[in-house]
């Protein structure tokens, strides 16, 4: 059986022209790339799956062609263990500079910058200044308001919009043609609705639907979306409601440990899960915010998540 | 915290118990050559005399990855700070990232096994013996007063090394070192007093020095609580009916205040409380935890008094008849060590996916893995993932 | 009462003590080396208990405590801290080392030397 690539990988645009939507951003970027030496630091913000990382990678390819991997450092703030680790990596990266390509700098792409504490972001600003001669940063985030203003003021800010439904549906249908997959147009529209315009999720859902025999229909799409969930918090919360606190807590920690996720990851997943389960309300939102804050302040994960679960349990029961 | 800042990083730095140190080093060299019959080492001795330090320093010197499992599942600030040193890692929920699992032999330090006994549950003796028999794990146990009957199997199968209270002069060396590095101007008289009052407990001495350096006057009734194991202190605290009584109890155990509220948190999580009561108490403990971190980070020891009051009030809220603290290694912490190779493989898979797909771990877990699993179940082969990889993935996800 | 000065790990012989006493000594933590047919003390030896047993034979074991830094014998009876010391350590620090300027560094150096020689063996 031949093996296949994940479509999110296979169909990721390699040039700016292939990127769907975000027309104004692309035009603006192309202008900037004409005068490469004048290129500023950049900050991309917007909902998930709208092309931010893709565009950053396209820029890297545009600047360095095939050698882009050597000249680009990709970092993820939520996976790096602290600002010191980031600083060391950036320093080491920016020290060795190869002028042969004619581009006067190297590129650092830092994703999920809004997951950093404001202290860490302040330190990040200093890093950006220290390495300014040889390095340009592209910061990526979902919530622009979580980025401190000294960083915002030092970057060219590009706000990515939620993708247009018709554009997404057209794109998905083109992929279906290329892959030889039969589909109902309604099914593609449903995929857009379910994934809320997140192209990464949409492609995954489409690929999963295509793995079943036959045409892709709305029923199939809905069925798969219902079955497939990467959000173990849904399981944890259901256990909380049906079996009680202790079993839910045990499950939570087992999952966290097995999947290697952090406390803040859990809060984000809980937010999505509670939303999905229709349980979101102002009190729950307040609980989420409170524990997000306490975890970011450095609270012990076991204690904070135990307390978080107890608070949610209490709220769900009343 | 100075106890962590000045935690010895090499064996040469560990002051005191030189006899135990040399017995340990000799045994370790024999262990490497597979010339020993014991399954691991059992450090026996009172608190604050160097059991953890000796293990940690040896891990650094001999190139082991250091993992601390606290049998009472109470992770102190120290354990978390220790995680920041290059080759150490503690099994705490904070540190489950792939980079921590390097391919080295592991030294697992299991602290406070006094409270563990019986084979009935996973956290008990059977679990320890299972852990000890893993080939790439060197298990070090520690206890204050092992019981000849309850811990017979451990005492028989582990090399017993005894650590004793330090002499006041040894404590003085430790304090002098800190004073020099921190440029403290503390009189010899006070240093002597602290050394003499510490009864051989270096942790107590260092904490007292820290408080004095921050401006607290040396308490007249300075006394170290020699014999109380954590479980007794915590359960006594839960039973307290009086605010003053609770405050006193906490004040005498200031050097382990973080262990106390973490033990309380564990006790509450495992007890059968009213939902709203549990939420109320947990909220308070959560706040205490955040305050303590702020204090430790910024050295604002003046707030400590308020934190003590808050902790005392919180203890009073805990119903003594329904909550009890019991020492046990929780399953989830334990399985991480046992299933290490599966976790390693899983982490490798996630890391390679992260690189190919240019996104974070959480996104891989939340948005990619479930679909990969779905495709695998429907017999679609994904390039870059072998059949083995798929099996590991599926076994982890279910 | 005959006093026997012993150093840690140094093997010594005891005068005939009788078969019944031997297991008592072992449970008090005194160690015995079959090859050289001699006794030695280590970290697990409860010296008070051992001496309690040997007193009936008129023997008292005393640790020849030395300074971990310079090796000179330390005299506990003359120590200012005697009243607050449990006297369980096999080594201590002599007065002149204690008062020297870089006592911790000196300790480090001497430990490095001695540990290195142990690992080399």
């Amino acid at each position: 059986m031949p093996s296949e690539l994940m479509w999110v990988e296979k169909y990721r645009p390699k040039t700016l022209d292939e990127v769907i939507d975000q027309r104004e951003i692309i035009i603006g970027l192309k202008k900037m790339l004409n005068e490469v030496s004048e290129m500023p630091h950049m900050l991309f913000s917007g909902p998930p799956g709208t092309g931010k990382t893709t565009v950053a990678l396209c820029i890297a390819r545009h600047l360095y062609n095939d050698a882009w991997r050597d000249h680009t450092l990709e970092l993820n703030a939520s996976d790096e263990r602290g600002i010191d680790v980031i600083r060391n990596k950036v320093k080491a990266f920016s020290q060795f500079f190869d002028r042969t390509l004619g581009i006067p700098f190297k590129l650092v792409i830092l994703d999920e910058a809004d997951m950093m504490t404001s202290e860490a972001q302040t330190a990040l600003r200093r890093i950006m200044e220290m390495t300014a001669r040889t390095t340009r940063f592209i910061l990526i985030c979902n919530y622009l308001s979580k980025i401190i203003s000294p960083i915002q003021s030092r970057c060219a800010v590009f706000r990515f919009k939620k993708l247009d439904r018709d554009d997404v549906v057209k794109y998905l249908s083109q992929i279906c043609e290329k892959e030889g997959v039969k589909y109902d147009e309604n099914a593609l529209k449903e995929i857009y609705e379910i994934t809320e315009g997140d192209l990464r999720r949409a492609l995954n859902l489409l690929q999963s639907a295509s793995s079943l025999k036959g045409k892709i229909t709305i029923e199939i799409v809905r069925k798969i979306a219902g079955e497939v969930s990467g959000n173990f918090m849904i399981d944890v919360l259901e256990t909380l409601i049906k079996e009680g606190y202790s079993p839910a807590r045990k499950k939570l920690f087992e999952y966290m440990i097995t999947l290697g996720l952090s406390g803040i990851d859990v809060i984000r997943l809980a937010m999505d899960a509670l939303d999905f389960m229709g349980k979101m309300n102002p009190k729950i939102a307040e609980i989420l915010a409170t524990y997000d804050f306490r975890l970011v302040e450095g609270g012990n994960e076991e204690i904070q998540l135990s307390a978080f679960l107890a608070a949610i349990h209490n709220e769900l029961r009343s | 915290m100075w106890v962590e800042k000045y935690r010895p990083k090499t064996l040469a730095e560990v002051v005191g118990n030189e006899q135990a140190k040399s017995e340990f080093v000799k045994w370790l060299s024999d262990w490497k050559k597979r010339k020993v019959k014991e399954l691991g080492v059992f450090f026996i001795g009172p608190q604050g005399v160097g059991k953890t330090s000796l293990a940690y320093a040896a891990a650094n010197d001999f190139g082991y990855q250091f993992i601390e499992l606290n049998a009472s599942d109470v992770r102190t600030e120290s354990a978390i700070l220790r995680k920041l040193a290059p080759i150490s890692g503690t099994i705490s929920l904070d540190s489950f990232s792939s980079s921590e699992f390097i391919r080295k032999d592991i030294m697992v330090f299991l602290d406070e096994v006094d409270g563990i006994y019986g084979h009935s549950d996973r956290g008990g003796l059977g679990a320890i013996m299972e852990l000890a028999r893993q080939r790439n794990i060197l298990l070090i146990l520690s206890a204050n007063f092992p019981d000849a009957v309850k811990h017979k199997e451990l005492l028989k199968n582990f090399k017993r090394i005894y650590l004793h209270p330090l002499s006041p002069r040894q404590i003085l060396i430790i304090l002098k070192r800190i004073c020099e590095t921190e440029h403290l101007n503390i009189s010899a008289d006070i240093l002597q007093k602290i050394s003499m009052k510490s009864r051989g407990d270096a942790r107590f001495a260092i904490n007292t020095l820290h408080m004095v350096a921050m401006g607290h006057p040396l308490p007249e009734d300075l006394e170290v609580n020699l014999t109380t194991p954590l479980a007794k202190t915590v359960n006594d605290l839960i039973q307290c009916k009086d605010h003053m009584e609770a405050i006193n109890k906490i004040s005498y155990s200031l050097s382990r205040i973080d262990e106390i509220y973490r033990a309380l948190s564990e006790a509450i999580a495992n007890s059968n409380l009213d939902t709203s009561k549990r939420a109320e108490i947990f909220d308070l403990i959560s706040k205490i935890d955040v305050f303590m971190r702020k204090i430790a980070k910024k050295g604002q020891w003046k707030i400590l008094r308020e934190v003590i009051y808050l902790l005392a009030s919180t203890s009073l809220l805990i119903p003594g008849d329904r909550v009890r603290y019991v020492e046990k290694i929780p399953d989830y912490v334990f399985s991480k060590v046992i299933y290490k190779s599966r976790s390693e493989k899983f982490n490798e898979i996630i890391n390679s996916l992260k690189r190919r797909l240019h996104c974070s771990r959480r996104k891989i877990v939340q948005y990619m893995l479930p679909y990969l699993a779905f495709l695998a179940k429907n017999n679609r082969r994904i390039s870059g993932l072998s059949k083995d990889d798929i099996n590991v993935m599926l076994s982890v996800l279910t | 009462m005959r006093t026997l000065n012993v150093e840690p790990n140094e093997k010594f012989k005891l005068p005939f003590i009788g078969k019944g006493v031997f297991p008592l000594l072992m449970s008090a933590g005194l160690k015995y080396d079959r090859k050289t047919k001699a006794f030695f003390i280590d970290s697990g030896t409860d010296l008070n208990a051992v001496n309690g047993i040997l007193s009936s034979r008129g023997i008292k074991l005393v640790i020849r405590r030395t300074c971990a830094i310079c090796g000179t014998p330390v005299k506990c009876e003359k120590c200012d801290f005697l009243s607050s010391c449990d006297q369980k350590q096999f080594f201590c620090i002599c007065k002149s080392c204690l008062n020297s300027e870089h006592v911790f560094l000196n300790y480090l150096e001497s430990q490095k030397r001695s540990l290195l020689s142990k690992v080399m063996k």
Side-chain angles (χ1 to χ4, degrees), chain A residues 11-16 18-20 54 57-58 61 171:
Chain A
Y11 293 104
R12 194 195 278 273
K14 294 194 169 64
T15 66
L16 288 171
E18 294 167 30
V19 174
I20 73 168
T54 298
L57 294 170
C58 286
R61 280 205 167 83
Y171 187 68

Side-chain angles (χ1 to χ4, degrees), chain A residues 4 74 294 298 300 302, chain B residues 75 286 289 293 354 358 380:
Chain A
E4 60 187 280
E74 284 180 77
R294 288 179 189 176
N300 169 270
E302 237 167 281
Chain B
R75 231 98 41 206
S286 146
D289 178 47
R293 270 163 207 289
K354 273 181 63 174
H358 306 279
R380 300 285 272 256

Side-chain angles (χ1 to χ4, degrees), chain A residues 81-202:
Chain A
R81 289 285 146 208
I83 188 68
D84 289 318
V85 174
I86 294 179
R87 180 187 295 114
N88 290 335
K89 287 188 178 178
V90 172
K91 262 172 88 175
F93 174 69
S94 59
Q95 258 168 17
F96 296 103
F97 186 63
D98 176 11
R99 283 185 194 285
T100 58
L101 280 179
I103 311 286
F105 51 78
K106 293 168 97 167
L107 197 60
V108 174
I109 301 178
L110 178 56
D111 198 359
E112 309 210 340
D114 48 353
M115 302 279 255
M116 294 167 73
T117 64
S118 41
E119 277 166 355
Q121 289 188 36
T122 306
L124 175 64
R125 202 209 75 203
R126 274 197 292 271
I127 297 172
M128 288 165 75
E129 266 160 24
M130 259 181 4
T131 55
R133 267 194 320 115
T134 55
T135 319
R136 288 294 181 282
F137 282 75
I138 299 183
L139 305 178
I140 303 180
C141 67
N142 291 134
Y143 301 104
L144 189 56
S145 53
K146 284 192 160 187
I147 304 290
I148 61 176
S149 44
I151 289 190
Q152 288 196 39
S153 66
R154 277 168 175 69
C155 297
V157 180
F158 293 88
R159 302 175 94 124
F160 284 63
K161 292 203 266 314
K162 183 172 166 179
L163 298 173
D164 172 77
R165 190 190 74 164
D166 293 332
D167 288 337
V168 170
V169 169
K170 181 168 160 214
Y171 187 68
L172 294 178
S173 65
Q174 284 168 352
I175 293 185
C176 285
E177 314 266 319
K178 286 189 195 152
E179 295 288 329
V181 171
K182 293 203 173 48
Y183 62 94
D184 270 343
E185 177 125 339
N186 284 333
L188 300 187
K189 286 182 184 160
E190 183 69 7
I191 290 182
Y192 176 84
E193 295 301 327
I194 291 177
T195 61
E196 296 174 297
D198 179 331
L199 197 49
R200 181 193 280 116
R201 288 171 64 187

Side-chain angles (χ1 to χ4, degrees), chain A residues 210-261:
Chain A
S210 78
S211 73
L212 299 175
K213 292 191 174 67
K215 204 175 188 201
I216 299 182
T217 63
I218 279 194
E219 289 76 35
I220 288 184
V221 165
R222 284 191 185 143
K223 181 162 171 289
I224 296 179
E227 269 176 39
V228 173
S229 175
N231 199 333
F232 64 82
M233 280 310 289
I234 296 177
D235 188 16
V236 170
L237 291 167
E238 280 174 354
T239 307
L240 189 63
I241 296 171
K242 291 190 192 127
E243 295 173 46
Y245 181 78
S246 276
R249 176 179 182 261
K250 186 166 175 228
K251 228 177 218 192
L252 170 63
F253 291 156
E254 285 265 15
Y255 271 124
M256 269 184 75
I257 288 172
T258 320
L259 298 171
L261 295 173

